[in-house]
Amino acid sequence: MNATEISLAAARRLRNGRLPHIPPPAAPVSSPTRLVLEAPPESRPEAVLTDTGRGANWRIALQEDNQDAGIWTAELLLPREPTVVTYYFELADGQHIRERRQVEGTNVPIYGVWEEKDFRIAVYSLQSTSPEWARGGVTYQIFPDRFARGNPQPQPVDSVVYGRRSRNLSWHEKPELPPQGRDFYGGTIRGITENLDYLADLGVSHLYLTPIFTSPTNHRYDVLDYFQIDPRLGDERDLRALVEAATARNIRVMLDGVFNHCSRDNPFFKAAQGDRCSPYYRWFAFDDWPDGYTGWAGVADMPQFVECPEVEEFFFGPDGVARHWLRAGIAGWRLDVVPWKSDEFWRRLRAAVDRERDDVY
């Protein structure tokens, strides 16, 4: 079996042996694509589609394959503007076929719980495609605290994580359940650099690091300082050394851009809570100042930024976060919780990084 066959077999096992439909890959605007569905004969399936960009809906009837009973197909023309097309299948008996996915946990992990979601096709513009170096490569995601410690090994740091003492664990100790974001194993950026030959042997061409900026937690999706690498992981010199050594092996390094929310201990948020006349008050959405505010997904530890010119200037102005770390040599950004920001916010970010360099992913 090749890698694709192995992946499909695993996907079928997780879905009780059945995988009736695999959505097509992302495709350019106005391009044709083909839907293929496994369904019983005489089921007369239709695809019920939505262009989420416009809120437009339409239906397509599938035809049974003359050579293969139970296989239904339809040709689909994708919209003329970038969007996401969602769809499900409706059978003659009223049954709906959607994608079966495991529910993703938030603060408390969830295992073995499944939900039905519409299938999705991303529709993109050929004028804003990814740079040549990013195409066809293998991206390896690294959670820096758990990849490798590096030499010399860092000294444990005692801290407080939202009222709880941090836990400095040996490499093979089990983390606490449910996780509280306070288990630290001592992985570092230097540890990644020292293992680049291993990654190159795997055929990796891009590294994506989950957040590395100062934060109270091990996951670091609640940033304190976007211009400083968390001392537990190293410093900017270590990042530059990683980028240089990775580039020598034809590997690009990308960082995680958490531009939607920060930590409730972030000095900007503290200033906003302390004084409504603070210039940072406008950065956050207070409904009952100082303690009633919008947190990402309702998580109070992660107050959410609003979209105002000052926030945009901070993240992707000429001296903003996005462009600062591009100058440090990173190849691109993975953007966190994209649906929580408007499309226009991301278009402006795209334009800003393009002004910095023309090969940014």
Side-chain angles (χ1 to χ4, degrees):
M1 295 176 73
N2 60 34
T4 300
E5 291 169 335
I6 292 171
S7 295
L8 290 175
R12 284 192 173 91
R13 282 199 306 275
L14 286 169
R15 292 162 176 82
N16 299 322
R18 191 161 178 269
L19 191 65
H21 174 68
I22 300 171
V29 296
S30 298
S31 63
T33 192
R34 190 165 182 258
L35 303 181
V36 180
L37 175 70
E38 295 178 24
E42 307 303 323
S43 59
R44 303 194 308 278
E46 293 186 354
V48 183
L49 303 110
T50 300
D51 177 345
T52 60
R54 295 191 301 147
N57 306 97
W58 72 106
R59 286 174 172 262
I60 293 178
L62 281 72
Q63 292 185 324
E64 191 169 19
D65 192 304
N66 292 329
Q67 307 299 320
D68 198 347
I71 300 297
W72 299 80
T73 64
E75 299 297 323
L76 168 67
L77 184 65
L78 295 175
R80 297 170 58 87
E81 298 291 335
T83 186
V84 174
V85 172
T86 64
Y87 61 98
Y88 63 90
F89 298 100
E90 184 174 277
L91 307 188
D93 62 3
Q95 178 187 352
H96 290 176
I97 297 177
R98 288 183 165 88
E99 184 173 16
R100 189 166 186 258
R101 290 185 170 189
Q102 291 196 69
V103 174
E104 183 176 342
T106 51
N107 284 357
V108 178
I110 300 172
Y111 301 103
V113 180
W114 294 78
E115 63 183 348
E116 303 287 326
K117 290 221 165 190
D118 287 357
F119 298 101
R120 298 163 66 90
I121 306 173
V123 184
Y124 62 86
S125 168
L126 286 170
Q127 278 66 53
S128 58
T129 55
S130 56
E132 190 64 38
W133 64 261
R135 301 177 193 176
V138 175
T139 300
Y140 189 101
Q141 179 180 356
I142 290 180
F143 188 81
D145 183 65
R146 289 300 275 135
F147 183 73
R149 283 179 168 163
N151 292 302
Q153 293 194 5
Q155 293 297 313
V157 176
D158 291 322
S159 62
V160 176
V161 181
Y162 302 125
R164 302 179 181 90
R165 299 286 302 176
S166 62
R167 303 170 75 233
N168 296 302
L169 304 180
S170 64
W171 197 251
H172 297 292
E173 277 188 83
K174 291 184 178 180
E176 67 178 335
L177 289 174
Q180 303 294 328
R182 60 177 183 148
D183 292 341
F184 293 92
Y185 288 88
T188 62
I189 294 172
R190 187 174 296 180
I192 301 170
T193 305
E194 292 172 0
N195 285 277
L196 283 172
D197 287 339
Y198 158 74
L199 294 165
D201 286 344
L202 291 179
V204 170
S205 47
H206 321 134
L207 294 181
Y208 147 45
L209 311 186
T210 60
I212 63 173
F213 306 122
T214 54
S215 162
T217 60
N218 56 13
H219 57 76
R220 298 183 176 87
Y221 281 94
D222 45 352
V223 178
L224 296 172
D225 186 343
Y226 287 87
F227 289 99
Q228 182 184 31
I229 293 171
D230 195 309
R232 291 180 189 266
L233 299 178
D235 57 27
E236 186 167 336
R237 289 172 298 179
D238 293 319
L239 177 63
R240 289 178 179 271
L242 169 62
V243 169
E244 182 178 352
T247 301
R249 293 163 175 81
N250 215 22
I251 296 174
R252 311 277 182 141
V253 177
M254 298 179 286
L255 298 184
D256 208 322
V258 189
F259 302 157
N260 177 73
H261 52 266
C262 63
S263 168
R264 65 177 168 90
D265 292 334
N266 185 293
F268 300 149
F269 183 67
K270 287 295 187 186
Q273 278 191 310
D275 184 358
R276 287 195 299 169
C277 292
S278 163
Y280 301 109
Y281 174 77
R282 70 192 69 176
W283 289 33
F284 303 94
F286 289 97
D287 52 31
D288 187 14
W289 181 84
D291 296 321
Y293 54 88
T294 301
W296 172 72
V299 178
D301 290 340
M302 297 181 181
Q304 189 163 295
F305 295 110
V306 301
E307 293 185 31
C308 67
E310 290 87 349
V311 167
E312 293 185 2
E313 185 73 9
F314 175 76
F315 282 119
F316 42 85
D319 297 314
V321 175
R323 297 175 71 173
H324 172 86
W325 293 106
L326 290 172
R327 291 171 195 147
I330 70 166
W333 288 98
R334 176 267 178 183
L335 302 171
D336 189 45
V337 297
V338 165
W340 271 262
K341 286 279 183 261
S342 70
D343 290 351
E344 185 58 31
F345 182 88
W346 299 120
R347 290 189 188 102
R348 294 181 187 187
L349 171 65
R350 173 80 261 174
V353 298
D354 284 347
R355 285 193 290 271
E356 190 64 37
R357 276 208 326 262
D358 61 6
D359 66 340
V360 176
Y361 187 48

